[in-house]
Amino acid sequence: MNAPNIFAHVDKTREDMHGYQDTAHEFQMDNPFSQLWIDVGMGKCCVSITTIGELLNRGPDVLMGEGPILVIGPVRVIMATWTEELREWKQGAWIEYNIIRAEPDDEECKAAYQYAYQMFKKRKQGYDFLDSGTKLATRLARRYRRWFMENRRREIARDIKPLNLINIEKVAWLVRFWQAEAKARRGKWPYRVVFIDESSKFKEHNTERFKTLKLIRNRLDRLHHLTASPAPEDFMNLFAPTWLLDKGERLGSNVTAYRERYFSQDLYTRKWKIRPGGEEAVSKKISDITLVMKAEDHRDDVGHKEWVPLKRKIILPDKLRDVYDKFQKQFIMEFDGHEIEALNSAVLVNKLLQLTSGAMYDNDRQVVPIHNQKIDELRELKEELQGEPLLVGYWFQSSLNRLRKAFPKASVMDKTGKVIAPWNNGEIDMLFIHPGSAAHGLNMQKGPGHDVAWFELCWSRELYEQLIGRLARQGQKKVVRAHHLLVSNSVDTMMYKALQDKGAGQDRLIEYVLRFRLEMERKMAA
């Protein structure tokens, strides 16, 4: 039997990295405790994968090198971005990795729940004391699932790989787990190298995640922070991440001393405000361990001089993936008591686009909620931008209704353009806009906003370019970033390809969908 080709999905090699990415990689290698403040979309993940690959290749153990290595990040970044980037880059495709995660939506955990539910629901010898009703069975099955998940998570954690990934919310659990292992003399904290993706999530010094990571700081040989927005509004947020890097060498051993040295407190509001000259003093203190890179400083290197297309990949859970695949193949689906049918390929494309967005119109024109994957991804993007304005393009009215509910403080583009002045003045944090009704003739480049997110794409290349062009036009001082929220292996990715290829809109897209369906059918028949 032939060994699998680990480079089958590789699209890029070291030669494909930009010059600034090579610079960032060298900075990480030369500075064991350091941080990259690098703009969204400039490839901090591929930079770090290159560093990880080099670290794992060093030392007596050719597979471990300076490992094992731990990557901490938001759950969606860990599950989608890092796994996809590892597959795409040659320097990462060979690395064996482990995701330390066990949650209710995992297939194994769902199977454990169903097993326990059926067992507790049955009345048979040995279980006569149980109520045959579903409430007690549900309660006991949930308890069993919690036990199963905890043991499964421990099992995964003990199976140490060269690269190990965990979401931020479970960092405290991981530290406590290895403390218990050390106490029982079964092992101790194994990760000598740690990367924190979106390190701004460790900005609070009084959180459990910071306190627990602080406990194992002395066991680290390397710690690398990655973020696009370290302290956009408050320099107070720099203390905790910096302490993790240098144990108080630069900004002080505790937050009280840091406040007293660089801040003053308003006696009425009790809020702390950095003193005149404080920003320069703090920046100088941390400059030796910090590399800052802005997209506008690398216009020729990041790609298009006016705007940069960025893909944010979303992986549907297995259950939703099955729903999508069956609907694409059969043109009909039933979900939550609703029947949804596509009469032809053109209607199918529209329905699939609704499905990836999270809500569909059934045969009676009623909106059927399906999932919130894209809304969750939009929240993640908004948090990464740390207060910078975001323009969001949508296509369906049902999507706008869901977006307004999820982001109640956001504004919506009106017919007369009354929101343009507040947008340019930086008074609007998030603005929803439909490309078909408000893409042309709006000058929205005069304010701080330079990010546009496509919640769902439109058919027309012209409307697509025009909407991005509201920000990417003469007078814009920064590189505009176009974030595309794309469900992997779906109509989203095909639509994106059609738009990037400057195709003929919907006809080209239908061609893509039909081609994809034929490929799927051939694979199923093989």
Side-chain angles (χ1 to χ4, degrees), residues 388-427:
E388 292 190 26
L390 179 62
L391 190 68
V392 180
Y394 69 93
W395 189 254
F396 298 106
Q397 180 63 39
S398 59
S399 296
L400 176 60
N401 295 337
R402 294 170 59 234
L403 287 167
R404 296 183 73 172
K405 184 177 180 179
F407 303 94
K409 295 183 179 179
S411 300
V412 181
M413 175 60 71
D414 57 293
K415 293 182 179 180
T416 58
K418 293 180 180 178
V419 299
I420 295 177
W423 168 268
N424 283 330
N425 291 333
E427 300 169 7

Side-chain angles (χ1 to χ4, degrees), residues 34 45 184 325 329 336 445 493 515 524:
S34 60
C45 187
D325 291 341
K329 182 180 179 181
D336 197 23
Q445 77 281 11
T493 52
R515 187 190 311 167
M524 293 177 65

Side-chain angles (χ1 to χ4, degrees), residues 42 79 108 120 154 171 186 227 233 288 384 420 429:
M42 290 184 69
M79 298 297 291
E108 289 181 334
F120 290 131
R154 291 174 182 173
V171 169
R186 291 191 294 261
T227 186
E233 300 175 355
D288 63 319
E384 288 178 23
I420 295 177
D429 185 57

Side-chain angles (χ1 to χ4, degrees), residues 88 133 173 217 300 320 379-380 526:
E88 290 180 1
W173 175 90
R217 171 59 180 80
D300 294 331
L320 288 177
R379 283 199 183 97
E380 192 70 44

Side-chain angles (χ1 to χ4, degrees), residues 29-57:
M29 294 301 300
D30 294 340
N31 297 272
F33 295 91
S34 60
Q35 51 193 358
L36 292 183
W37 293 356
I38 182 169
D39 255 352
V40 173
M42 290 184 69
K44 58 183 183 290
C45 187
C46 86
V47 168
S48 299
I49 287 174
T50 305
T51 300
I52 289 170
E54 191 164 327
L55 291 174
L56 291 176
N57 264 320

Side-chain angles (χ1 to χ4, degrees), residues 322-337:
D322 290 341
V323 170
Y324 181 94
D325 291 341
K326 289 179 181 178
F327 182 53
Q328 181 177 251
K329 182 180 179 181
Q330 300 172 0
F331 281 59
I332 192 169
M333 64 177 281
E334 291 185 3
F335 190 90
D336 197 23

Side-chain angles (χ1 to χ4, degrees), residues 496-510:
Y496 177 80
K497 288 178 182 178
L499 289 169
Q500 298 304 312
D501 291 344
K502 298 186 179 181
Q506 184 168 332
D507 292 339
R508 183 69 175 273
L509 181 61
I510 292 172

Side-chain angles (χ1 to χ4, degrees), residues 147-290:
W147 173 87
F148 179 87
M149 287 191 301
E150 179 68 16
N151 282 275
R152 177 62 182 146
R153 197 178 293 120
R154 291 174 182 173
E155 180 183 339
I156 297 172
R158 291 190 184 103
D159 184 22
I160 302 169
K161 293 292 190 291
L163 178 60
N164 306 268
L165 304 100
I166 192 168
N167 58 300
I168 290 172
E169 292 76 13
K170 293 300 180 183
V171 169
W173 175 90
L174 187 65
V175 173
R176 290 194 299 267
F177 168 77
W178 284 111
Q179 285 178 328
E181 292 289 282
K183 190 175 181 179
R185 298 184 179 180
R186 291 191 294 261
K188 58 183 180 180
W189 180 263
Y191 318 106
R192 308 299 296 184
V193 179
V194 174
F195 286 75
I196 303 179
D197 199 346
E198 301 304 334
S199 57
S200 58
K201 293 182 180 292
F202 285 80
K203 63 187 178 182
E204 300 292 345
H205 68 281
N206 55 358
T207 58
E208 186 181 20
R209 64 183 61 161
F210 171 77
K211 292 177 180 178
T212 51
L213 207 57
K214 188 176 179 181
L215 294 174
I216 52 86
R217 171 59 180 80
N218 287 334
R219 295 186 174 274
L220 303 183
D221 295 329
R222 282 180 171 271
L223 176 61
H224 297 287
H225 289 176
L226 312 169
T227 186
S229 303
E233 300 175 355
D234 190 354
F235 265 64
M236 192 72 73
N237 295 336
L238 291 179
F239 172 79
T242 305
W243 192 98
L244 289 175
L245 291 175
D246 66 3
K247 297 187 290 186
E249 177 184 339
R250 289 167 178 79
L251 300 183
S253 59
N254 59 74
V255 71
T256 301
Y258 176 62
R259 283 174 181 163
E260 292 177 350
R261 185 170 185 179
Y262 298 106
F263 296 79
S264 58
Q265 189 177 35
D266 189 297
L267 296 178
Y268 296 99
T269 64
R270 311 302 296 174
K271 293 182 179 180
W272 293 89
K273 183 179 180 181
I274 196 163
R275 294 173 182 167
E279 293 184 1
E280 292 80 0
V282 171
S283 300
K284 185 177 181 180
K285 284 277 188 181
I286 64 175
S287 60
D288 63 319
I289 58 171
T290 306

